Every structure is written in C-alpha cells, then in structure tokens.
Amino acid sequence: DTEVTQTPKHLVMGMTNKKSLKCEQHMGHRAMYWYKQKAKKPPELMFVYSYEKLSINESVPSRFSPECPNSSLLNLHLHALQPEDSALYLCASSQVRRGREKLFFGSGTQLSVL
Amino acid sequence: GQQVMQIPQYQHVQEGEDFTTYCNSSTTLSNIQWYKQRPGGHPVFLIQLVKSGEVKKQKRLTFQFGEAKKNSSLHITATQTTDVGTYFCAVPDNNNDMRFGAGTRLTVKP
C-alpha cells in the first residue's frame, strides 16, 4: 500500500492531446517530486516542489508543466507530447526537501503516447 | 550532481543462493538510501545509511556503508522468490534531491 495516490494508473494519449496527471498525499509532507522512469531504467528527477514552490526544473521540455495547488496536491499537465515521452511517471513526497528524507512513491501513471 | 555507479546490472540466482549489489561513488556521501521496486510496481524505501562503517540488518537483508562513505552494499542471504525485483541505491545531489543508481535487477529461479 502507498500513502501517495496517483491518478490515472494508465493513460494513452495522442500527440495533440492535453491531459493531466494527479498526485495526492495526506502525510503533511512539504516536498513533492515528479520522476520519470523508462523501462529498465532508474527514476529520473523532473521537478521538485518545496513548500508549494517549484524548486527545480531539470531542463524538462515545456510540454510538461507542473503545478502544486496546495501542500497535498501535485499535478503534471501534458501537452503535445512525443512518443519518446512514453514512460512511468512517478510522484513522490518527503517530509521536507532534505537529502536524508525518505521518499514515498505513488504507484505511478503508465503513459503511452501514440 | 552526485554520481553513483551500481553493479551488477542483472543478477539471476537459484532460490536459496545469496545476492549482493554494490553502489560506488567517487566522492564522499553524506548518506545513502536503498529502494526496492517489484516488477510492475513503484520504488519502496528499504533503509538509509548515514554513519561510516554502518551495518544494518532487516531479516535476510544486510546493508553496509563503507568506512570512507564512498560505497555501499546490499546483501540478501538465501534468496526467495519474493525477493525478485530491482534494487536501487539513491544518494543526495548538490540540491539535496535523491538521485538513483542504475539498479540491479534480481531474478530468482525456484
């Protein structure tokens, strides 16, 4: 069981579609993350929010747009994606943004871009 | 940011055999974390090591942090089919965000 909830679990979208991934946690964590994971590869950091402020954007293309409406929610807006963006998108949270904090991951959204 | 090398990439064992995965860094680490990801699942935190020479055990799993805090290992004694998955080490980068090693994929033949 995970205390970080992600929806949807699966998503298939065309290259002209607009969709959003959602993530929610109720552990009172103040740091939230988006990771991208390709098959047989490690998770790669995309975005970090600390106290609802975007702290890091790992040179991710602008077709990915993160949003943190409040301390419990994290969204990832997708627009005009490419087939190479197909991957597992993982949301994670930690108590605060500090290198010694345990990461709690959601179950992920498996995204396929056609 | 921090770079950590993890080996081996794959390990296939017979049930009951031992398994070890290693992570090595060229720089001194403040800490290292280990995660397990089952096939089709998400990474789950296993443990964190902070002190030089630290050894921690969780049932059949033994985690070690090197004296120089540049390497770490995860050893599983007498593997079971439930141990199947990919084991990742993770280290903080210069921004204190966790970066993952390449992972070691463990398969266990019953």
Side-chain angles (χ1 to χ4, degrees), chain A residues 33 35 37 40 42 45 56 58 97-103 105-107, chain B residues 30-31 33 35 37 42-43 45 48 50 88 95-99 101 105:
Chain A
Y33 312 80
Y35 282 85
Q37 187 177 28
K40 300 183 182 180
L45 188 62
I56 192 164
E58 288 283 291
R97 186 187 179 200
R98 186 177 69 146
R100 294 190 176 194
E101 296 297 324
K102 169 182 173 179
L103 290 176
F105 282 88
S107 300
Chain B
S30 59
N31 58 289
Q33 296 177 349
Y35 291 79
Q37 185 172 21
H42 57 278
F45 176 85
Q48 175 164 262
V50 178
F88 294 101
N95 293 315
N96 280 324
D97 296 312
M98 300 309 290
R99 303 288 177 160
R105 194 173 187 191

PDB file of all heavy atoms in Angstrom, chain A residues 33 35 37 40 42 45 56 58 97-103 105-107, chain B residues 30-31 33 35 37 42-43 45 48 50 88 95-99 101 105:
ATOM      1  N   TYR A  33       7.628  15.562  -5.583  1.00  0.00           N
ATOM      2  CA  TYR A  33       8.522  15.351  -6.718  1.00  0.00           C
ATOM      3  C   TYR A  33       7.796  14.651  -7.860  1.00  0.00           C
ATOM      4  O   TYR A  33       6.917  13.819  -7.632  1.00  0.00           O
ATOM      5  CB  TYR A  33       9.695  14.448  -6.309  1.00  0.00           C
ATOM      6  CG  TYR A  33      10.398  14.827  -5.030  1.00  0.00           C
ATOM      7  CD1 TYR A  33       9.864  14.472  -3.796  1.00  0.00           C
ATOM      8  CD2 TYR A  33      11.599  15.517  -5.062  1.00  0.00           C
ATOM      9  CE1 TYR A  33      10.505  14.806  -2.613  1.00  0.00           C
ATOM     10  CE2 TYR A  33      12.249  15.859  -3.887  1.00  0.00           C
ATOM     11  CZ  TYR A  33      11.698  15.497  -2.669  1.00  0.00           C
ATOM     12  OH  TYR A  33      12.353  15.830  -1.496  1.00  0.00           O
ATOM     13  N   TYR A  35       9.081  12.164 -10.896  1.00  0.00           N
ATOM     14  CA  TYR A  35      10.145  11.393 -11.516  1.00  0.00           C
ATOM     15  C   TYR A  35       9.589  10.741 -12.772  1.00  0.00           C
ATOM     16  O   TYR A  35       8.423  10.352 -12.821  1.00  0.00           O
ATOM     17  CB  TYR A  35      10.642  10.281 -10.583  1.00  0.00           C
ATOM     18  CG  TYR A  35      11.570  10.708  -9.466  1.00  0.00           C
ATOM     19  CD1 TYR A  35      11.066  11.177  -8.258  1.00  0.00           C
ATOM     20  CD2 TYR A  35      12.950  10.598  -9.612  1.00  0.00           C
ATOM     21  CE1 TYR A  35      11.926  11.529  -7.222  1.00  0.00           C
ATOM     22  CE2 TYR A  35      13.821  10.945  -8.580  1.00  0.00           C
ATOM     23  CZ  TYR A  35      13.295  11.411  -7.392  1.00  0.00           C
ATOM     24  OH  TYR A  35      14.146  11.764  -6.370  1.00  0.00           O
ATOM     25  N   GLN A  37      10.332   7.440 -15.309  1.00  0.00           N
ATOM     26  CA  GLN A  37      11.068   6.190 -15.360  1.00  0.00           C
ATOM     27  C   GLN A  37      10.775   5.446 -16.659  1.00  0.00           C
ATOM     28  O   GLN A  37       9.645   4.997 -16.891  1.00  0.00           O
ATOM     29  CB  GLN A  37      10.737   5.302 -14.161  1.00  0.00           C
ATOM     30  CG  GLN A  37      11.609   4.056 -14.082  1.00  0.00           C
ATOM     31  CD  GLN A  37      11.345   3.208 -12.848  1.00  0.00           C
ATOM     32  OE1 GLN A  37      10.242   3.203 -12.298  1.00  0.00           O
ATOM     33  NE2 GLN A  37      12.356   2.488 -12.387  1.00  0.00           N
ATOM     34  N   LYS A  40      13.252  -0.428 -17.535  1.00  0.00           N
ATOM     35  CA  LYS A  40      14.560  -0.963 -17.167  1.00  0.00           C
ATOM     36  C   LYS A  40      15.588   0.122 -16.858  1.00  0.00           C
ATOM     37  O   LYS A  40      16.793  -0.104 -16.976  1.00  0.00           O
ATOM     38  CB  LYS A  40      15.090  -1.901 -18.255  1.00  0.00           C
ATOM     39  CG  LYS A  40      14.178  -3.089 -18.511  1.00  0.00           C
ATOM     40  CD  LYS A  40      14.749  -4.050 -19.535  1.00  0.00           C
ATOM     41  CE  LYS A  40      13.783  -5.194 -19.787  1.00  0.00           C
ATOM     42  NZ  LYS A  40      14.289  -6.161 -20.776  1.00  0.00           N
ATOM     43  N   PRO A  42      16.485   3.671 -14.118  1.00  0.00           N
ATOM     44  CA  PRO A  42      16.136   4.231 -12.810  1.00  0.00           C
ATOM     45  C   PRO A  42      15.211   5.434 -12.943  1.00  0.00           C
ATOM     46  O   PRO A  42      15.140   6.042 -14.024  1.00  0.00           O
ATOM     47  CB  PRO A  42      17.495   4.664 -12.247  1.00  0.00           C
ATOM     48  CG  PRO A  42      18.323   4.941 -13.447  1.00  0.00           C
ATOM     49  CD  PRO A  42      17.874   3.963 -14.493  1.00  0.00           C
ATOM     50  N   LEU A  45      14.753  12.439 -11.955  1.00  0.00           N
ATOM     51  CA  LEU A  45      14.061  13.587 -11.378  1.00  0.00           C
ATOM     52  C   LEU A  45      13.674  14.584 -12.461  1.00  0.00           C
ATOM     53  O   LEU A  45      14.479  14.939 -13.317  1.00  0.00           O
ATOM     54  CB  LEU A  45      14.970  14.246 -10.347  1.00  0.00           C
ATOM     55  CG  LEU A  45      14.357  15.353  -9.508  1.00  0.00           C
ATOM     56  CD1 LEU A  45      13.206  14.836  -8.664  1.00  0.00           C
ATOM     57  CD2 LEU A  45      15.432  15.976  -8.617  1.00  0.00           C
ATOM     58  N   ILE A  56      13.010  23.101  -8.513  1.00  0.00           N
ATOM     59  CA  ILE A  56      13.925  22.619  -9.530  1.00  0.00           C
ATOM     60  C   ILE A  56      13.147  22.134 -10.741  1.00  0.00           C
ATOM     61  O   ILE A  56      12.107  21.518 -10.610  1.00  0.00           O
ATOM     62  CB  ILE A  56      14.842  21.511  -8.982  1.00  0.00           C
ATOM     63  CG1 ILE A  56      15.989  21.228  -9.956  1.00  0.00           C
ATOM     64  CG2 ILE A  56      14.079  20.241  -8.708  1.00  0.00           C
ATOM     65  CD1 ILE A  56      17.126  20.453  -9.323  1.00  0.00           C
ATOM     66  N   GLU A  58      14.377  20.181 -14.050  1.00  0.00           N
ATOM     67  CA  GLU A  58      15.566  19.558 -14.632  1.00  0.00           C
ATOM     68  C   GLU A  58      15.623  19.714 -16.143  1.00  0.00           C
ATOM     69  O   GLU A  58      15.722  18.729 -16.868  1.00  0.00           O
ATOM     70  CB  GLU A  58      15.579  18.067 -14.256  1.00  0.00           C
ATOM     71  CG  GLU A  58      15.895  17.812 -12.816  1.00  0.00           C
ATOM     72  CD  GLU A  58      17.366  17.976 -12.548  1.00  0.00           C
ATOM     73  OE1 GLU A  58      18.161  17.144 -13.026  1.00  0.00           O
ATOM     74  OE2 GLU A  58      17.724  18.951 -11.881  1.00  0.00           O
ATOM     75  N   ARG A  97      12.339  18.925   1.970  1.00  0.00           N
ATOM     76  CA  ARG A  97      13.324  18.727   0.924  1.00  0.00           C
ATOM     77  C   ARG A  97      14.709  18.732   1.581  1.00  0.00           C
ATOM     78  O   ARG A  97      15.301  19.771   1.809  1.00  0.00           O
ATOM     79  CB  ARG A  97      13.248  19.816  -0.127  1.00  0.00           C
ATOM     80  CG  ARG A  97      14.160  19.568  -1.314  1.00  0.00           C
ATOM     81  CD  ARG A  97      14.173  20.747  -2.227  1.00  0.00           C
ATOM     82  NE  ARG A  97      15.075  20.516  -3.363  1.00  0.00           N
ATOM     83  CZ  ARG A  97      15.576  21.474  -4.105  1.00  0.00           C
ATOM     84  NH1 ARG A  97      15.269  22.729  -3.838  1.00  0.00           N
ATOM     85  NH2 ARG A  97      16.372  21.207  -5.103  1.00  0.00           N
ATOM     86  N   ARG A  98      15.156  17.538   1.903  1.00  0.00           N
ATOM     87  CA  ARG A  98      16.452  17.403   2.543  1.00  0.00           C
ATOM     88  C   ARG A  98      16.981  16.036   2.170  1.00  0.00           C
ATOM     89  O   ARG A  98      16.226  15.063   2.180  1.00  0.00           O
ATOM     90  CB  ARG A  98      16.288  17.512   4.062  1.00  0.00           C
ATOM     91  CG  ARG A  98      17.574  17.527   4.847  1.00  0.00           C
ATOM     92  CD  ARG A  98      17.294  17.720   6.323  1.00  0.00           C
ATOM     93  NE  ARG A  98      16.644  16.557   6.893  1.00  0.00           N
ATOM     94  CZ  ARG A  98      16.832  16.133   8.130  1.00  0.00           C
ATOM     95  NH1 ARG A  98      17.668  16.765   8.908  1.00  0.00           N
ATOM     96  NH2 ARG A  98      16.180  15.104   8.599  1.00  0.00           N
ATOM     97  N   GLY A  99      18.269  15.950   1.881  1.00  0.00           N
ATOM     98  CA  GLY A  99      18.796  14.704   1.321  1.00  0.00           C
ATOM     99  C   GLY A  99      18.695  13.489   2.211  1.00  0.00           C
ATOM    100  O   GLY A  99      19.037  12.399   1.795  1.00  0.00           O
ATOM    101  N   ARG A 100      18.256  13.644   3.451  1.00  0.00           N
ATOM    102  CA  ARG A 100      18.152  12.492   4.341  1.00  0.00           C
ATOM    103  C   ARG A 100      16.718  12.068   4.579  1.00  0.00           C
ATOM    104  O   ARG A 100      16.440  11.289   5.487  1.00  0.00           O
ATOM    105  CB  ARG A 100      18.801  12.814   5.690  1.00  0.00           C
ATOM    106  CG  ARG A 100      20.294  13.023   5.567  1.00  0.00           C
ATOM    107  CD  ARG A 100      20.967  13.097   6.908  1.00  0.00           C
ATOM    108  NE  ARG A 100      22.411  13.196   6.728  1.00  0.00           N
ATOM    109  CZ  ARG A 100      23.290  13.014   7.689  1.00  0.00           C
ATOM    110  NH1 ARG A 100      22.872  12.721   8.912  1.00  0.00           N
ATOM    111  NH2 ARG A 100      24.578  13.124   7.455  1.00  0.00           N
ATOM    112  N   GLU A 101      15.816  12.576   3.789  1.00  0.00           N
ATOM    113  CA  GLU A 101      14.414  12.224   3.988  1.00  0.00           C
ATOM    114  C   GLU A 101      14.033  11.039   3.105  1.00  0.00           C
ATOM    115  O   GLU A 101      14.385  10.958   1.932  1.00  0.00           O
ATOM    116  CB  GLU A 101      13.499  13.408   3.652  1.00  0.00           C
ATOM    117  CG  GLU A 101      13.690  14.620   4.551  1.00  0.00           C
ATOM    118  CD  GLU A 101      13.361  14.318   5.992  1.00  0.00           C
ATOM    119  OE1 GLU A 101      12.419  13.545   6.252  1.00  0.00           O
ATOM    120  OE2 GLU A 101      14.054  14.854   6.877  1.00  0.00           O
ATOM    121  N   LYS A 102      13.255  10.165   3.676  1.00  0.00           N
ATOM    122  CA  LYS A 102      12.740   9.005   2.957  1.00  0.00           C
ATOM    123  C   LYS A 102      11.735   9.477   1.929  1.00  0.00           C
ATOM    124  O   LYS A 102      10.895  10.334   2.209  1.00  0.00           O
ATOM    125  CB  LYS A 102      12.095   8.111   4.007  1.00  0.00           C
ATOM    126  CG  LYS A 102      11.260   6.968   3.535  1.00  0.00           C
ATOM    127  CD  LYS A 102      10.688   6.279   4.782  1.00  0.00           C
ATOM    128  CE  LYS A 102       9.694   5.231   4.414  1.00  0.00           C
ATOM    129  NZ  LYS A 102       9.156   4.561   5.623  1.00  0.00           N
ATOM    130  N   LEU A 103      11.820   8.902   0.730  1.00  0.00           N
ATOM    131  CA  LEU A 103      10.856   9.210  -0.317  1.00  0.00           C
ATOM    132  C   LEU A 103       9.725   8.185  -0.293  1.00  0.00           C
ATOM    133  O   LEU A 103       9.958   6.984  -0.235  1.00  0.00           O
ATOM    134  CB  LEU A 103      11.525   9.160  -1.692  1.00  0.00           C
ATOM    135  CG  LEU A 103      12.526  10.264  -2.041  1.00  0.00           C
ATOM    136  CD1 LEU A 103      13.156   9.983  -3.398  1.00  0.00           C
ATOM    137  CD2 LEU A 103      11.864  11.624  -2.038  1.00  0.00           C
ATOM    138  N   PHE A 105       6.777   6.924  -2.667  1.00  0.00           N
ATOM    139  CA  PHE A 105       6.349   6.971  -4.062  1.00  0.00           C
ATOM    140  C   PHE A 105       4.898   6.538  -4.201  1.00  0.00           C
ATOM    141  O   PHE A 105       4.412   5.645  -3.486  1.00  0.00           O
ATOM    142  CB  PHE A 105       7.204   6.037  -4.926  1.00  0.00           C
ATOM    143  CG  PHE A 105       8.557   6.593  -5.260  1.00  0.00           C
ATOM    144  CD1 PHE A 105       9.638   6.388  -4.424  1.00  0.00           C
ATOM    145  CD2 PHE A 105       8.746   7.332  -6.420  1.00  0.00           C
ATOM    146  CE1 PHE A 105      10.887   6.899  -4.731  1.00  0.00           C
ATOM    147  CE2 PHE A 105       9.986   7.854  -6.739  1.00  0.00           C
ATOM    148  CZ  PHE A 105      11.060   7.636  -5.890  1.00  0.00           C
ATOM    149  N   GLY A 106       4.222   7.158  -5.167  1.00  0.00           N
ATOM    150  CA  GLY A 106       2.935   6.664  -5.598  1.00  0.00           C
ATOM    151  C   GLY A 106       3.130   5.491  -6.540  1.00  0.00           C
ATOM    152  O   GLY A 106       4.257   5.142  -6.911  1.00  0.00           O
ATOM    153  N   SER A 107       2.005   4.877  -6.938  1.00  0.00           N
ATOM    154  CA  SER A 107       2.062   3.704  -7.811  1.00  0.00           C
ATOM    155  C   SER A 107       2.398   4.058  -9.253  1.00  0.00           C
ATOM    156  O   SER A 107       2.702   3.174 -10.047  1.00  0.00           O
ATOM    157  CB  SER A 107       0.724   2.968  -7.789  1.00  0.00           C
ATOM    158  OG  SER A 107       0.429   2.543  -6.476  1.00  0.00           O
TER     159      SER A 107
ATOM    160  N   SER B  30      27.069  11.821   2.076  1.00  0.00           N
ATOM    161  CA  SER B  30      26.535  12.139   3.404  1.00  0.00           C
ATOM    162  C   SER B  30      25.671  10.974   3.908  1.00  0.00           C
ATOM    163  O   SER B  30      25.642  10.678   5.101  1.00  0.00           O
ATOM    164  CB  SER B  30      25.698  13.419   3.352  1.00  0.00           C
ATOM    165  OG  SER B  30      24.629  13.255   2.426  1.00  0.00           O
ATOM    166  N   ASN B  31      25.005  10.330   2.978  1.00  0.00           N
ATOM    167  CA  ASN B  31      24.128   9.219   3.321  1.00  0.00           C
ATOM    168  C   ASN B  31      23.766   8.477   2.037  1.00  0.00           C
ATOM    169  O   ASN B  31      24.012   8.985   0.934  1.00  0.00           O
ATOM    170  CB  ASN B  31      22.851   9.706   4.016  1.00  0.00           C
ATOM    171  CG  ASN B  31      22.060  10.686   3.167  1.00  0.00           C
ATOM    172  OD1 ASN B  31      22.475  11.826   2.960  1.00  0.00           O
ATOM    173  ND2 ASN B  31      20.923  10.244   2.661  1.00  0.00           N
ATOM    174  N   GLN B  33      20.557   5.767   0.473  1.00  0.00           N
ATOM    175  CA  GLN B  33      19.300   5.070   0.696  1.00  0.00           C
ATOM    176  C   GLN B  33      19.212   3.884  -0.268  1.00  0.00           C
ATOM    177  O   GLN B  33      19.818   3.899  -1.337  1.00  0.00           O
ATOM    178  CB  GLN B  33      18.108   6.002   0.459  1.00  0.00           C
ATOM    179  CG  GLN B  33      18.048   7.171   1.432  1.00  0.00           C
ATOM    180  CD  GLN B  33      16.897   8.113   1.134  1.00  0.00           C
ATOM    181  OE1 GLN B  33      16.238   8.036   0.108  1.00  0.00           O
ATOM    182  NE2 GLN B  33      16.638   9.033   2.068  1.00  0.00           N
ATOM    183  N   TYR B  35      16.266   1.300  -2.160  1.00  0.00           N
ATOM    184  CA  TYR B  35      14.876   1.107  -2.513  1.00  0.00           C
ATOM    185  C   TYR B  35      14.727  -0.215  -3.272  1.00  0.00           C
ATOM    186  O   TYR B  35      15.655  -0.656  -3.963  1.00  0.00           O
ATOM    187  CB  TYR B  35      14.377   2.241  -3.424  1.00  0.00           C
ATOM    188  CG  TYR B  35      14.259   3.576  -2.731  1.00  0.00           C
ATOM    189  CD1 TYR B  35      15.384   4.368  -2.508  1.00  0.00           C
ATOM    190  CD2 TYR B  35      13.030   4.049  -2.295  1.00  0.00           C
ATOM    191  CE1 TYR B  35      15.289   5.593  -1.860  1.00  0.00           C
ATOM    192  CE2 TYR B  35      12.918   5.275  -1.645  1.00  0.00           C
ATOM    193  CZ  TYR B  35      14.050   6.028  -1.434  1.00  0.00           C
ATOM    194  OH  TYR B  35      13.951   7.249  -0.788  1.00  0.00           O
ATOM    195  N   GLN B  37      12.068  -2.097  -6.068  1.00  0.00           N
ATOM    196  CA  GLN B  37      10.932  -1.926  -6.971  1.00  0.00           C
ATOM    197  C   GLN B  37      10.574  -3.303  -7.532  1.00  0.00           C
ATOM    198  O   GLN B  37      11.349  -3.906  -8.278  1.00  0.00           O
ATOM    199  CB  GLN B  37      11.269  -0.956  -8.109  1.00  0.00           C
ATOM    200  CG  GLN B  37      10.093  -0.637  -9.020  1.00  0.00           C
ATOM    201  CD  GLN B  37      10.415   0.471 -10.013  1.00  0.00           C
ATOM    202  OE1 GLN B  37      11.571   0.752 -10.298  1.00  0.00           O
ATOM    203  NE2 GLN B  37       9.390   1.123 -10.558  1.00  0.00           N
ATOM    204  N   HIS B  42       6.291   0.248  -7.825  1.00  0.00           N
ATOM    205  CA  HIS B  42       6.979   1.511  -7.646  1.00  0.00           C
ATOM    206  C   HIS B  42       8.086   1.331  -6.608  1.00  0.00           C
ATOM    207  O   HIS B  42       8.053   0.378  -5.821  1.00  0.00           O
ATOM    208  CB  HIS B  42       5.983   2.584  -7.184  1.00  0.00           C
ATOM    209  CG  HIS B  42       5.267   2.225  -5.918  1.00  0.00           C
ATOM    210  ND1 HIS B  42       4.164   1.393  -5.890  1.00  0.00           N
ATOM    211  CD2 HIS B  42       5.514   2.562  -4.627  1.00  0.00           C
ATOM    212  CE1 HIS B  42       3.755   1.248  -4.645  1.00  0.00           C
ATOM    213  NE2 HIS B  42       4.551   1.942  -3.851  1.00  0.00           N
ATOM    214  N   PRO B  43       9.063   2.222  -6.590  1.00  0.00           N
ATOM    215  CA  PRO B  43      10.140   2.089  -5.599  1.00  0.00           C
ATOM    216  C   PRO B  43       9.600   2.211  -4.177  1.00  0.00           C
ATOM    217  O   PRO B  43       8.791   3.083  -3.882  1.00  0.00           O
ATOM    218  CB  PRO B  43      11.079   3.243  -5.943  1.00  0.00           C
ATOM    219  CG  PRO B  43      10.776   3.576  -7.364  1.00  0.00           C
ATOM    220  CD  PRO B  43       9.307   3.328  -7.517  1.00  0.00           C
ATOM    221  N   PHE B  45      11.000   2.398  -0.191  1.00  0.00           N
ATOM    222  CA  PHE B  45      12.170   2.648   0.666  1.00  0.00           C
ATOM    223  C   PHE B  45      12.462   1.424   1.526  1.00  0.00           C
ATOM    224  O   PHE B  45      11.555   0.828   2.136  1.00  0.00           O
ATOM    225  CB  PHE B  45      11.871   3.852   1.552  1.00  0.00           C
ATOM    226  CG  PHE B  45      12.932   4.174   2.562  1.00  0.00           C
ATOM    227  CD1 PHE B  45      14.015   4.955   2.217  1.00  0.00           C
ATOM    228  CD2 PHE B  45      12.827   3.710   3.864  1.00  0.00           C
ATOM    229  CE1 PHE B  45      14.985   5.272   3.151  1.00  0.00           C
ATOM    230  CE2 PHE B  45      13.788   4.020   4.806  1.00  0.00           C
ATOM    231  CZ  PHE B  45      14.873   4.799   4.458  1.00  0.00           C
ATOM    232  N   GLN B  48      18.111   3.595   5.169  1.00  0.00           N
ATOM    233  CA  GLN B  48      19.062   4.669   4.968  1.00  0.00           C
ATOM    234  C   GLN B  48      20.280   4.409   5.840  1.00  0.00           C
ATOM    235  O   GLN B  48      20.149   4.012   7.000  1.00  0.00           O
ATOM    236  CB  GLN B  48      18.444   6.016   5.334  1.00  0.00           C
ATOM    237  CG  GLN B  48      19.429   7.181   5.258  1.00  0.00           C
ATOM    238  CD  GLN B  48      18.753   8.512   5.239  1.00  0.00           C
ATOM    239  OE1 GLN B  48      18.552   9.107   4.194  1.00  0.00           O
ATOM    240  NE2 GLN B  48      18.394   9.006   6.415  1.00  0.00           N
ATOM    241  N   VAL B  50      23.864   6.241   7.235  1.00  0.00           N
ATOM    242  CA  VAL B  50      24.402   7.582   7.456  1.00  0.00           C
ATOM    243  C   VAL B  50      25.830   7.556   7.989  1.00  0.00           C
ATOM    244  O   VAL B  50      26.662   8.377   7.629  1.00  0.00           O
ATOM    245  CB  VAL B  50      23.491   8.361   8.430  1.00  0.00           C
ATOM    246  CG1 VAL B  50      24.067   9.743   8.717  1.00  0.00           C
ATOM    247  CG2 VAL B  50      22.090   8.487   7.873  1.00  0.00           C
ATOM    248  N   PHE B  88      17.602  -0.406  -6.030  1.00  0.00           N
ATOM    249  CA  PHE B  88      18.267   0.849  -6.355  1.00  0.00           C
ATOM    250  C   PHE B  88      18.915   1.434  -5.112  1.00  0.00           C
ATOM    251  O   PHE B  88      18.299   1.444  -4.037  1.00  0.00           O
ATOM    252  CB  PHE B  88      17.261   1.896  -6.862  1.00  0.00           C
ATOM    253  CG  PHE B  88      16.611   1.586  -8.174  1.00  0.00           C
ATOM    254  CD1 PHE B  88      15.318   1.078  -8.231  1.00  0.00           C
ATOM    255  CD2 PHE B  88      17.266   1.833  -9.368  1.00  0.00           C
ATOM    256  CE1 PHE B  88      14.703   0.813  -9.436  1.00  0.00           C
ATOM    257  CE2 PHE B  88      16.659   1.567 -10.592  1.00  0.00           C
ATOM    258  CZ  PHE B  88      15.380   1.063 -10.624  1.00  0.00           C
ATOM    259  N   ASN B  95      21.665  19.590  -4.547  1.00  0.00           N
ATOM    260  CA  ASN B  95      20.447  20.281  -4.106  1.00  0.00           C
ATOM    261  C   ASN B  95      19.698  19.483  -3.041  1.00  0.00           C
ATOM    262  O   ASN B  95      18.580  19.840  -2.669  1.00  0.00           O
ATOM    263  CB  ASN B  95      19.508  20.510  -5.292  1.00  0.00           C
ATOM    264  CG  ASN B  95      20.070  21.485  -6.288  1.00  0.00           C
ATOM    265  OD1 ASN B  95      20.589  22.536  -5.911  1.00  0.00           O
ATOM    266  ND2 ASN B  95      19.987  21.163  -7.567  1.00  0.00           N
ATOM    267  N   ASN B  96      20.315  18.389  -2.585  1.00  0.00           N
ATOM    268  CA  ASN B  96      19.676  17.503  -1.597  1.00  0.00           C
ATOM    269  C   ASN B  96      18.479  16.765  -2.150  1.00  0.00           C
ATOM    270  O   ASN B  96      17.562  16.406  -1.403  1.00  0.00           O
ATOM    271  CB  ASN B  96      19.269  18.275  -0.330  1.00  0.00           C
ATOM    272  CG  ASN B  96      20.442  18.491   0.587  1.00  0.00           C
ATOM    273  OD1 ASN B  96      21.307  17.629   0.703  1.00  0.00           O
ATOM    274  ND2 ASN B  96      20.492  19.628   1.224  1.00  0.00           N
ATOM    275  N   ASP B  97      18.469  16.545  -3.477  1.00  0.00           N
ATOM    276  CA  ASP B  97      17.443  15.721  -4.091  1.00  0.00           C
ATOM    277  C   ASP B  97      18.034  14.355  -4.389  1.00  0.00           C
ATOM    278  O   ASP B  97      19.206  14.244  -4.754  1.00  0.00           O
ATOM    279  CB  ASP B  97      16.927  16.365  -5.384  1.00  0.00           C
ATOM    280  CG  ASP B  97      16.245  17.697  -5.116  1.00  0.00           C
ATOM    281  OD1 ASP B  97      15.410  17.752  -4.193  1.00  0.00           O
ATOM    282  OD2 ASP B  97      16.550  18.675  -5.824  1.00  0.00           O
ATOM    283  N   MET B  98      17.249  13.316  -4.221  1.00  0.00           N
ATOM    284  CA  MET B  98      17.756  11.952  -4.350  1.00  0.00           C
ATOM    285  C   MET B  98      17.907  11.544  -5.807  1.00  0.00           C
ATOM    286  O   MET B  98      16.984  11.686  -6.615  1.00  0.00           O
ATOM    287  CB  MET B  98      16.854  10.970  -3.620  1.00  0.00           C
ATOM    288  CG  MET B  98      16.713  11.246  -2.137  1.00  0.00           C
ATOM    289  SD  MET B  98      18.269  11.449  -1.253  1.00  0.00           S
ATOM    290  CE  MET B  98      18.914   9.795  -1.270  1.00  0.00           C
ATOM    291  N   ARG B  99      19.086  11.033  -6.120  1.00  0.00           N
ATOM    292  CA  ARG B  99      19.403  10.524  -7.457  1.00  0.00           C
ATOM    293  C   ARG B  99      19.658   9.033  -7.345  1.00  0.00           C
ATOM    294  O   ARG B  99      20.369   8.595  -6.441  1.00  0.00           O
ATOM    295  CB  ARG B  99      20.651  11.217  -8.013  1.00  0.00           C
ATOM    296  CG  ARG B  99      20.540  12.728  -8.065  1.00  0.00           C
ATOM    297  CD  ARG B  99      19.602  13.214  -9.131  1.00  0.00           C
ATOM    298  NE  ARG B  99      19.456  14.669  -9.118  1.00  0.00           N
ATOM    299  CZ  ARG B  99      19.022  15.379 -10.135  1.00  0.00           C
ATOM    300  NH1 ARG B  99      18.673  14.777 -11.268  1.00  0.00           N
ATOM    301  NH2 ARG B  99      18.905  16.692 -10.028  1.00  0.00           N
ATOM    302  N   GLY B 101      20.848   5.203  -8.500  1.00  0.00           N
ATOM    303  CA  GLY B 101      21.766   4.393  -9.280  1.00  0.00           C
ATOM    304  C   GLY B 101      21.005   3.663 -10.368  1.00  0.00           C
ATOM    305  O   GLY B 101      19.773   3.683 -10.393  1.00  0.00           O
ATOM    306  N   ARG B 105      18.832  -5.685 -11.236  1.00  0.00           N
ATOM    307  CA  ARG B 105      17.599  -6.456 -11.416  1.00  0.00           C
ATOM    308  C   ARG B 105      17.860  -7.887 -10.983  1.00  0.00           C
ATOM    309  O   ARG B 105      18.729  -8.574 -11.552  1.00  0.00           O
ATOM    310  CB  ARG B 105      17.209  -6.406 -12.889  1.00  0.00           C
ATOM    311  CG  ARG B 105      15.812  -6.853 -13.186  1.00  0.00           C
ATOM    312  CD  ARG B 105      15.536  -6.584 -14.650  1.00  0.00           C
ATOM    313  NE  ARG B 105      14.176  -6.822 -15.006  1.00  0.00           N
ATOM    314  CZ  ARG B 105      13.755  -6.865 -16.262  1.00  0.00           C
ATOM    315  NH1 ARG B 105      14.596  -6.693 -17.246  1.00  0.00           N
ATOM    316  NH2 ARG B 105      12.485  -7.071 -16.520  1.00  0.00           N
TER     317      ARG B 105
END
